[in-house]
Amino acid sequence: MPAQFVLSRAAFVELLAALRAQGYRLMGPTVRDGAIVYDELSGVDDLPIGWTDEQDGGTYRLTRRDDAALFGYTVGPHSWKQVFHPPAVKLWRAVRDERGLRLEAEPLPAAKTALIGARACDLHAIAIQDTTFLHGPVVDRRYEAARRDTFVVAIQCGQAARTCFCASMGTGPRASAGFDLALTEVLDERGHRFVGEAGTPAGEAVLARLPHRPAAPEDLEAAAQRHDAALAQMGRRLDAGGVRELLQENLDHPRWDEVASRCLACGNCTMVCPTCFCTATSDRGDLAGREAERWQTWDSCFTMDFSYVHGGSVRRSTKSRYRQWLTHKLSTWFDQFGRSGCVGCGRCITWCPVGIDLTEEVRAIRETPSRPGPAAEPSHGHP
Amino acid sequence: MTPTAEPPATGPSAFLPRSFRVAAVHRETAETRTLELQPVDGRPAPAFVPGQFTMVYVFGVGEVPMSITGDPARDDRLVHTVRVVGAVSRAIAGLRRGAEIGIRGPFGRGWPLTEALGRDLIIVAGGVGLAPLRPVIYHVRAHRAAFGRVSVLYGARTPDELLYRRELARWRRDGAIDLQVTVDRASAGWTGLVGVPTLRLRQLTIDPARTLALTCGPEVMMRYAVRELEHCGLDAAQVHLSMERNMQCAVGLCGHCQFGPDFLCRSGPVLRADRVLPRLAIREL
C-alpha cells in the first residue's frame, strides 16, 4: 500500500484552490432542491457541509449532522455521467440555403475537470462507461474529449445508505483504483482531517505542493474505523453469483409480471443509474426551414418509443421493459462488456417512486427459478 | 471478388452525415420508391457489403436506417428502396431528382458472401425484405461460376406489391438463377405462383451439405423459413437472417437495437439463425 498521508481541513481547502489554479473546473457534491447533486464548485463552502442523507426504497431525505463533515453522506440522484456523458448534447448543425446543404460538427468539449468526492461505486461506474465509450469497436470522441483531462479526488465512504450494496458487487466501499488522490474524512478528538493516499504521479505532484504529514498509526486506525462503519451499515446485498445465467434462464419467470404490476415505467432508475448509457437522437429545425440541429439526449429502455419500429414497439408491456433493463444490467452486459453493469450504488432503489428493489427482484427469481417453457406465441414480427 | 468493405472509421464523422443528391427516383409500388443517390462531393459512393445499411437523413425531418439495395460493384451511386411507414420514410419517398439528403454509413455486418463461395444458395425474401438481398443477387449474377445452384424465392402480399418487377422478369427469362415469385393473394391477371414463399422450399432440390440460405422478411416468415429449411436437412447454422430493430446511432452506442446480447447495428443486421432462434421465440425481447 502506498504511503498514507494526512491533510488538514485547511489543506483540503488549499487542494481545491490548487486544482483550480491548474485550470481544472471543480465538479462535486452540493445541496440543491433538497438533494445532494453534482455541480460546479467554486470552493469548499459549496460542499454539503454538515448534511447527511437518509435513503431507502423510494425515499431520500437530507438531514443535519451533528458535525461539520464535508462528505458525511453517500450518493445522490446525480452520477458523474452528468459530466462525461451529459443528458443533452448537440452533435451537429445543418444549414440549407441556395448553395445547398452544409453540415457542421459541434466542436468537442475541452474542459479539464476535477471530480471532488467520487465514491468507490462511482469510480467503477466511470470505468464501466469508459469500456462502453472508449474500449469498444467504436470510440465516442465526444466522451473521450470530456474524459481526457480528469483529476479524481476520491472520498472513501465512512457511512453507507440502506440502499447501498457495493460490497456484494465487489465495487466498494473502499476505492482501490481509478483516483489520483483518495481521502478518508475523519472527525475526532484529534481534529477534522483527511487520511489519504495518492494513486497516480499526478496525485503525488499535487500533494507535494500541499501542507501534509505522514499518517500516524492513530490516523490509520481512525480511517479504518470509518471504512468498517461503511461496510457494517451496508443495507442491502445482491447475490451476484451466477446471476448472469439465472436471468437468461428465467426470461419467462412469473416474477416479471409481478414487478410489472408495481413498475410505473417512469425510467427514473435509468436516469440515476451511473452506467446506463442509452441515448436518443432527435432533429430540431427552425421555423424558417433554414437550420436544423442534431441532438443526442439520454433515453430510457422504459419508454414505449425506445423499441419502436414501423408499426409498433417491440416491447409494449412494462414487463418486457423492466426485464430488458434488469437483464441488460446484470446479464447481457457481460456479453457486451465483459462484466456486470451494476456497481451496487443503490440509486435505482432510492429513486424508484414505488421503491422497486433489484436486489429483491433477483432474490425472488433465485428462490423460485423456472426454466423457460416453449413459447406459446411468436415474438413481435414486422407488421 | 467478394466485397469486403468494413464500416468506415468512426469518431465525430460517424455521426455527421455526408451530402448526397437524388439522381433518380423509381416508383416500385404505391408505397415504395427506389432512390439512386450520388455524393455531392463528386467522390465515389462508399463501398459496402450486401446486407449493410446506412442512416438516411432528411433535412429538418429526421433519420432512419435503410438497407442498401444497389449493385455492390458500382461505386457511382448508392441505391435505397423506401417503403412509406412513417414521417421520415414518407419524406424520403417524396424526394425529387436533385434534392439533397444526408447519408451516414454503411454500417453493420452483411451477408456471409465469402462463406457462400462455391456453395448452393437459397434466398428467401418477403415483401421489402428483398431490398437487402438484391445486392447479393447482383453479386451472384456477376460471378455466376463462383456459386452452385442459386434459388431465389420471393413473395409479396399481392402482385401490386412486388418490387423490381422489370428486373425480376429479366432474371426469370435469362435463367442464370432459379427465381420463383409468389403472392399471398392473387389478383386478376396474375398467372404466377400463389402462397407464401416458405412453402415452396420443400419443392426445391436441395443438397443440404453444400447449401447456405439467406432470408429477410417479416420475423414470422423468417422463423418459418428456418423451420422449413431444417426440415429440408439444413442446420440452423447454415441459415442467415437479417433483423430489424430501432436504430439511432448505428454504431452500437445508443442502445436501441439491443436484441439480447447483440447490438444489431454492429453484430447484425445479418445474424446466423442458430444464434437468434431461441431469442425469436421469446415475446417482446
Side-chain angles (χ1 to χ4, degrees):
Chain A
M1 181 174 288
Q4 303 265 316
F5 59 82
V6 172
L7 287 182
S8 67
R9 186 189 185 283
F12 179 81
V13 174
E14 285 187 46
L15 167 62
L16 299 189
L19 290 171
R20 274 169 68 93
Q22 285 185 36
Y24 288 101
R25 64 174 179 151
L26 308 181
M27 297 298 294
T30 193
V31 174
R32 197 171 71 211
D33 300 332
I36 292 170
V37 298
Y38 295 146
D39 204 346
E40 186 155 358
L41 306 176
S42 54
V44 72
D45 292 337
D46 287 343
L47 290 168
I49 299 172
W51 286 101
T52 193
D53 50 15
E54 291 176 3
Q55 304 193 40
D56 209 335
T59 299
Y60 180 96
R61 291 287 179 276
L62 290 189
T63 56
R64 276 286 174 195
R65 296 174 61 91
D66 55 14
D67 62 22
L70 307 184
F71 297 98
Y73 38 85
T74 60
V75 293
H78 282 184
S79 69
W80 303 103
K81 77 176 180 183
Q82 237 91 10
V83 177
F84 302 124
H85 179 50
V89 170
K90 197 206 292 189
L91 296 180
W92 48 258
R93 170 173 171 272
V95 178
R96 184 172 63 178
D97 57 21
E98 54 288 341
R99 289 188 295 158
L101 186 61
R102 290 193 311 284
L103 296 149
E104 297 159 12
E106 275 296 297
L108 297 177
K112 293 171 70 173
T113 305
L115 309 185
I116 308 301
R119 308 304 177 111
C121 58
D122 282 346
L123 296 179
H124 281 88
I126 291 170
I128 288 172
Q129 289 222 315
D130 285 356
T131 302
T132 304
F133 292 119
L134 302 180
H135 305 145
V138 171
V139 173
D140 184 327
R141 301 287 174 205
R142 203 161 293 281
Y143 180 89
E144 181 186 54
R147 191 68 184 86
R148 184 174 296 132
D149 209 339
T150 305
F151 190 97
V152 176
V153 180
I155 290 291
Q156 305 286 16
C157 286
Q159 65 187 70
R162 280 196 286 273
T163 44
C164 290
F165 58 101
C166 64
S168 58
M169 297 307 293
T171 52
R174 198 171 148 73
S176 53
F179 54 80
D180 296 287
L181 294 172
L183 308 175
T184 305
E185 184 175 28
V186 176
L187 290 94
D188 60 15
E189 65 284 352
R190 297 167 68 90
H192 189 172
R193 63 202 189 279
F194 294 87
V195 182
E197 60 187 296
T200 60
E204 284 166 12
V206 170
L207 179 68
R209 274 173 295 192
L210 301 172
H212 66 283
R213 62 172 172 82
E218 297 80 11
D219 299 314
L220 296 176
E221 176 59 25
Q225 276 176 19
R226 305 303 307 139
H227 307 152
D228 292 346
L231 199 53
Q233 286 171 16
M234 191 107 354
R236 279 168 164 83
R237 61 171 278 110
L238 193 153
D239 182 0
V243 70
R244 175 188 184 183
E245 295 77 17
L246 178 79
L247 296 185
Q248 286 307 317
E249 288 164 4
N250 286 282
L251 295 173
D252 286 323
H253 196 282
R255 184 70 181 192
W256 301 117
D257 292 302
E258 198 282 326
V259 67
S261 71
R262 289 175 282 135
C263 175
L264 308 176
C266 69
N268 267 14
C269 49
T270 53
M271 298 294 110
V272 297
C273 176
T275 69
C276 271
F277 59 86
C278 290
T279 53
T281 52
S282 57
D283 292 300
R284 304 175 187 177
D286 69 342
L287 288 173
R290 215 186 100 81
E291 290 188 22
E293 293 175 347
R294 165 74 47 85
W295 283 76
Q296 172 187 285
T297 52
W298 286 357
D299 201 359
S300 171
C301 52
F302 280 89
T303 69
M304 186 73 109
D305 276 354
F306 189 85
S307 62
Y308 183 85
V309 285
H310 54 84
S313 294
V314 174
R315 298 185 203 105
R316 291 167 207 235
S317 67
T318 300
K319 164 194 170 175
S320 68
R321 288 179 250 154
Y322 186 85
R323 182 181 66 188
Q324 167 62 24
W325 179 70
L326 197 68
T327 54
H328 184 214
K329 191 68 51 188
L330 298 178
S331 183
T332 52
W333 209 288
F334 282 94
D335 301 282
Q336 296 169 353
F337 304 113
R339 57 151 298 158
S340 171
C342 178
V343 296
C345 69
R347 286 180 175 94
C348 57
I349 305 170
T350 298
W351 296 96
C352 175
V354 295
I356 292 173
D357 174 351
L358 79 172
T359 69
E360 271 304 311
E361 299 313 311
V362 169
R363 188 171 299 123
I365 290 172
R366 198 183 285 285
E367 282 168 3
T368 55
S370 71
R371 302 190 70 88
E377 292 174 63
S379 68
H380 170 83
H382 298 201
Chain B
M1 55 161 288
T2 300
T4 54
E6 291 298 315
T10 49
S13 64
F15 297 112
L16 193 66
R18 180 179 170 198
S19 283
F20 280 66
R21 187 167 285 116
V22 177
V25 181
H26 308 283
R27 182 185 192 277
E28 302 288 350
T29 74
E31 287 190 327
T32 50
R33 300 287 182 276
T34 294
L35 277 70
E36 297 183 25
L37 308 170
Q38 286 180 315
V40 168
D41 59 21
R43 303 205 327 272
F48 70 96
V49 177
Q52 284 193 304
F53 67 96
T54 72
M55 297 298 293
V56 182
Y57 167 66
V58 181
F59 181 88
V61 182
E63 190 182 58
V64 288
M66 206 157 273
S67 299
I68 306 173
T69 192
D71 183 346
R74 289 187 63 171
D75 69 357
D76 60 329
R77 55 193 56 196
L78 192 62
V79 183
H80 285 295
T81 296
V82 54
R83 180 160 73 106
V84 176
V85 292
V88 182
S89 55
R90 184 176 306 282
I92 294 169
L95 291 171
R96 302 290 174 84
R97 190 163 173 271
E100 259 186 72
I101 62 173
I103 298 284
R104 295 193 291 131
F107 298 112
R109 273 222 317 241
W111 304 103
L113 290 183
T114 308
E115 193 186 337
L117 277 177
R119 306 180 74 171
D120 293 348
L121 280 187
I122 298 175
I123 293 173
V124 185
V128 290
L130 182 59
L133 283 162
R134 189 166 69 150
V136 177
I137 300 174
Y138 284 130
H139 178 73
V140 166
R141 288 174 54 86
H143 306 91
R144 188 62 193 86
F147 300 89
R149 262 198 308 262
V150 177
S151 305
V152 177
L153 309 179
Y154 170 47
R157 276 179 295 194
T158 64
D160 287 344
E161 287 170 74
L162 290 167
L163 303 178
Y164 319 132
R165 267 173 282 187
R166 288 170 64 181
E167 199 168 38
L168 294 177
R170 198 166 70 243
W171 292 346
R172 294 264 311 271
R173 275 198 306 276
D174 72 19
I177 56 172
D178 169 31
L179 170 63
Q180 303 187 34
V181 179
T182 174
V183 297
D184 296 353
R185 292 188 307 279
S187 53
W190 177 253
T191 57
L193 302 167
V194 177
V196 292
T198 48
L199 286 178
R200 307 212 59 81
L201 282 165
R202 297 197 194 190
Q203 273 130 56
L204 296 179
T205 307
I206 295 176
D207 178 357
R210 51 169 292 147
T211 300
L212 199 69
L214 315 177
T215 180
C216 183
E219 276 180 26
V220 61
M221 185 211 81
M222 295 194 289
R223 278 159 52 91
Y224 277 105
V226 179
R227 190 182 298 177
E228 289 295 304
L229 287 161
E230 285 180 320
H231 183 87
C232 295
L234 269 72
D235 190 277
Q238 292 167 266
V239 185
H240 296 258
L241 44 80
S242 181
M243 295 281 301
E244 185 173 20
R245 283 293 183 274
N246 187 305
M247 292 180 185
Q248 302 198 7
C249 77
V251 291
L253 295 177
C254 80
H256 284 262
C257 67
Q258 286 179 84
F259 182 53
D262 287 311
F263 294 103
L264 285 178
C265 70
R266 211 157 68 187
S267 49
V270 175
L271 295 162
R272 232 171 60 182
D274 59 323
R275 268 177 61 83
V276 290
L277 268 187
R279 280 180 261 161
L280 284 173
I282 296 161
R283 296 183 68 197
E284 297 188 287
L285 193 70

